[in-house]
Amino acid sequence: MRASYNELRRMVDFPYTPDELAERLTNVGLEVKEIQTAGEEKGVVVGKILTVKKHPNADKLKIVEVDTGKDKISLVCGAPNVEEGRYVAVAVEGAQLPGGIRVKKVNIRGISSPGMICSERELGLGEDHSGVMIFSSELQLGERFYRALGLEDTIFDIELTSNRGDCLSILGIAREIAAIAGKKVRLPDFHFKDEQIIFEDDVLPIKIEAPELCPFYAARIIRGIKIAPSPLWLRWKILLSGAKPVNNVVDVTNYVMWELGQPLHPFDLETLAGPQIIVRRAKQGEALVTLDDKERKLSEDMLVIANAEEPIAIAGIMGGRETEVTEATEDILLEAAYFSPISVSRTSRKLDLSSEASSRFERGVDAAMVEKAMDRASVLIQKVAGGKIVEPSLGAGKPPVKKKEVYFRPSKVNRITGLRIPSFTSEKILKNLGFEVKKDKENTKNMGKWIVYVPGFRHDIEREIDLVEEIARIHGYNKIGISLPQPGGGGGKDESGESVKKLLRGVLKGSGFYEVITNPLIGERLLKAFRESLDNLLSVRNPLSIQQKFLRPHLFHQLVDVASFNYNQESENLRLMEMGKIFAKNNGECKETSCLCGVTVENGFDFYRLKGIVEVIFDELRVGEVKFCPCSYPYFYKGEAACIKKGEDVIGFFGKLYFEICQDFKLPSQTYLFELNLDLITSLSKGKTKYHPLPRFPAVKRDLSFVVREEVCADEIKEIVLKQTPYIEKVEFFDFYQGPNIPEGYKSISFSLIFRHPKKTLTDSEVDSFQDKIIKLLQDRWQAYLRAR
């Protein structure tokens, strides 16, 4: 948003210099990215033409003598409208013009010209280049041109957050300044004189067929106008706003939108076929050629302004070419309306068409300003284009001006911020921002609470904490000091699992992982790359882009994408992790689950190293024994993927990414990932470590190597072995082999058995009997046999 220092001063009498104002606006959340000085071009002065003579060596050129106040100089000029006695803008040698043009002394057909007389385009005040710019009134000779015409200004380029649509206007920013400075806002003139009015009855009925998308539509007819270029003051304001001048009527509507934040649109009344204006949904198959000369295909969920026959504008976004205001226009219909933000936003994205108007409607305009903005524009149009304003104005529906109520406790401000802001200061700040404060003294239940009525232009205020933020930012965030937390009466139970997350971050950081944060919204491209079905995903009704169409069903899609970007920027040996929410449908509702995901792209990394990292996570969280079971996922290699179970609950999975997916993301084949259900893991975590006495008697270790069928899972062997005797303390697998000397379809697995008795030292014969029992069990159950050494 571009804001003019002079325009702001016109609305609020504040004492700040441009630099001071920029600092204060930034401090209250309206970040000033850049300060530009408009009309500071040096070397352009007011001059008076003294004589005009023909150029001796060129028929179309003239030698013009001008008085610049300090000197009288002769310049070569080809403009047809130079006349003696005229006041003009003279750019002397060394002058800097808009666009970075520097004026130099040149020789034109044998005559030296140490400067130039400027046209409108050369001065950056319009597009006219047919002649030099002439001023009818006398100005001070030699004075800086922009200063002489009162055009010097300072422009603030303000970065607004998406929730502050109220500040997409000079008025909105002026309200903020008034709150900072403790001043009142002066509204511009909305009233027109009686001699400017004519009365007509039943001129043009208006009908709203989609009130849920347009609850209020107002319009006014202005007759007998003359379309022409805008006067200099208006063109300059349009240029300062960042737009381009078009004509006097269109420029007024753009200026009022910049000034008050309410978009307006003028129609050429004569081109409106039919006896009425209809606000309706588009019909399937309808099309409209918009002002940018492009045909737009419309659909039934789009709101249009139509005559009796066809659409004439896309509501809240852009008008149609057939009804635009041109030089031949004599009567106009001026539109001002309140359109549904969701409707405008959805249509804008579907048509890939945005405008200054749509950016304001999408964020929500002030319904109470609709008719005032129309009145303001009517006053200015009559001023710059003449004509008569037709009364009464036209309209249908009612503006949605019901005020929101928010209960507010002044003590909450000090509790949240740690400041000591008196309640009367909070009340003053809220009132200065346009809120209405009512203290409920009658209801004893609400003693100490205020009812705060939110003005229609503040769509971002919903809760008490929003009001706390308003008071804190106006009072000054920089006044909030640094303080240590007060000791409490003891910590409560960690219901959110933050202690588990903190522990996991430490574990994974120690394992070489870097944490990243990705967007919870995801597009079709990533989902399809992982062979995901889109049928059961939760979709966003009005996505900001096709890359944000669905709520993510897993974390690893985007994490692999991040790994791909980094790997292809020549970052090798990557270990990335993320903690966040994933989303799924559950009986028609959205189910959120907290998850932990990790991706590794590293030379020499393998499935078992990843399994080791996962085991370390479970060990640190004291989850207890879990099962690692073979599983089949469309994005993992068969035989290098596992799901993790605790009882019957699946608490995660991990594996090697399938090579076709690696190719899609330009990743090496050694790419592995894991994803764990944090909610389940948190519930299974046993918290504090329990210590046991060290064993008093020695352990006996036996190593066994078995050949078993390929499909037999090591965890199944471990589970059944542990049940054979209470004196087996641990089963540890240490080797896996397939190849020569092993039959096809079989594998060799080696494991250690740790035996220990709590009350005595086990003898060799006792251990032999346990071992023989285990060997026979494995032979009977899986036809396993001991591998020869």
Side-chain angles (χ1 to χ4, degrees), residues 212-231:
E212 71 280 10
L213 304 183
C214 176
F216 179 55
Y217 188 94
R220 171 173 285 126
I221 293 174
I222 305 178
R223 296 192 183 276
I225 63 173
K226 181 173 177 58
I227 301 298
S230 297

Side-chain angles (χ1 to χ4, degrees), residues 13 15 30 113 174 186 189 202 222 310 337 384 389 437 490 496 501 515 527 616 618 673 684 711 713 736 751:
D13 186 19
L30 307 183
S113 182
R186 293 189 296 265
D189 181 20
D202 301 326
I222 305 178
E310 60 186 358
V384 301
I389 298 168
V437 178
S496 65
K501 292 177 184 178
E515 184 173 8
L527 293 167
V616 167
F618 292 139
L673 66 87
L684 295 170
E711 64 270 17
C713 179
F736 166 84
F751 52 91

Side-chain angles (χ1 to χ4, degrees), residues 94-345:
Q96 185 78 36
L97 296 178
I101 300 172
R102 184 172 293 278
V103 177
K104 299 178 181 179
K105 184 177 181 178
V106 294
N107 190 291
I108 304 176
R109 294 288 183 94
I111 302 295
S112 176
S113 182
M116 61 186 293
I117 304 173
C118 300
S119 68
E120 181 181 284
R121 185 197 297 174
E122 289 160 343
L123 292 168
L125 298 174
E127 295 300 319
D128 188 6
H129 195 56
S130 59
V132 298
M133 200 167 184
I134 302 292
F135 306 103
S136 56
S137 59
E138 291 190 2
L139 300 174
Q140 181 66 43
L141 288 179
E143 188 173 4
R144 287 178 60 183
F145 165 74
Y146 294 94
R147 178 178 296 171
L149 294 180
L151 302 180
E152 289 184 322
D153 204 346
T154 300
I155 299 299
F156 304 104
D157 188 0
I158 301 175
E159 182 79 15
L160 297 177
T161 52
S162 59
N163 64 323
R164 292 308 304 271
D166 60 300
C167 288
L168 284 170
S169 66
I170 298 296
L171 176 59
I173 297 170
R175 291 191 189 106
E176 296 287 302
I177 298 171
I180 297 168
K183 303 288 185 178
K184 297 289 185 182
V185 174
R186 293 189 296 265
L187 293 176
D189 181 20
F190 296 100
H191 307 289
F192 30 84
K193 299 176 183 178
D194 292 342
E195 59 268 23
Q196 299 170 341
I197 303 173
I198 58 175
F199 292 90
E200 298 180 11
D201 294 329
D202 301 326
V203 178
L204 191 70
I206 294 174
K207 182 180 180 182
I208 298 177
E209 293 184 354
E212 71 280 10
L213 304 183
C214 176
F216 179 55
Y217 188 94
R220 171 173 285 126
I221 293 174
I222 305 178
R223 296 192 183 276
I225 63 173
K226 181 173 177 58
I227 301 298
S230 297
L232 179 60
W233 68 267
L234 180 54
R235 277 181 309 184
W236 183 241
K237 291 180 188 296
I238 294 299
L239 289 167
L240 293 181
S241 73
K244 289 185 178 181
V246 180
N247 58 50
N248 46 8
V249 169
V250 173
D251 290 350
V252 164
T253 59
N254 286 335
Y255 171 65
V256 172
M257 177 175 65
W258 185 51
E259 181 185 47
L260 303 179
Q262 171 63 44
L264 305 163
H265 184 71
F267 296 99
D268 185 333
L269 187 62
E270 190 176 345
T271 63
L272 300 181
Q276 63 180 339
I277 288 290
I278 305 170
V279 185
R280 60 170 173 82
R281 294 178 183 269
K283 299 173 183 177
Q284 196 65 38
E286 281 188 320
L288 175 68
V289 178
T290 47
L291 289 172
D292 58 359
D293 288 328
K294 293 182 180 179
E295 185 178 67
R296 310 287 178 176
K297 301 293 183 181
L298 307 176
S299 58
E300 294 175 341
D301 59 346
M302 298 178 183
L303 186 69
V304 297
I305 314 302
N307 56 29
E309 300 174 0
E310 60 186 358
I312 58 175
I314 302 172
I317 301 176
M318 190 173 287
R321 185 180 63 188
E322 295 300 321
T323 57
E324 72 174 315
V325 172
T326 66
E327 292 181 359
T329 301
E330 295 182 353
D331 304 331
I332 64 167
L333 178 75
L334 182 64
E335 168 195 277
Y338 183 92
F339 298 117
S340 161
I342 294 176
S343 172
V344 174
S345 177

Side-chain angles (χ1 to χ4, degrees), residues 45-47 67-70 140-144:
V45 298
V46 176
D67 184 357
T68 62
K70 292 182 179 180
Q140 181 66 43
L141 288 179
E143 188 173 4
R144 287 178 60 183

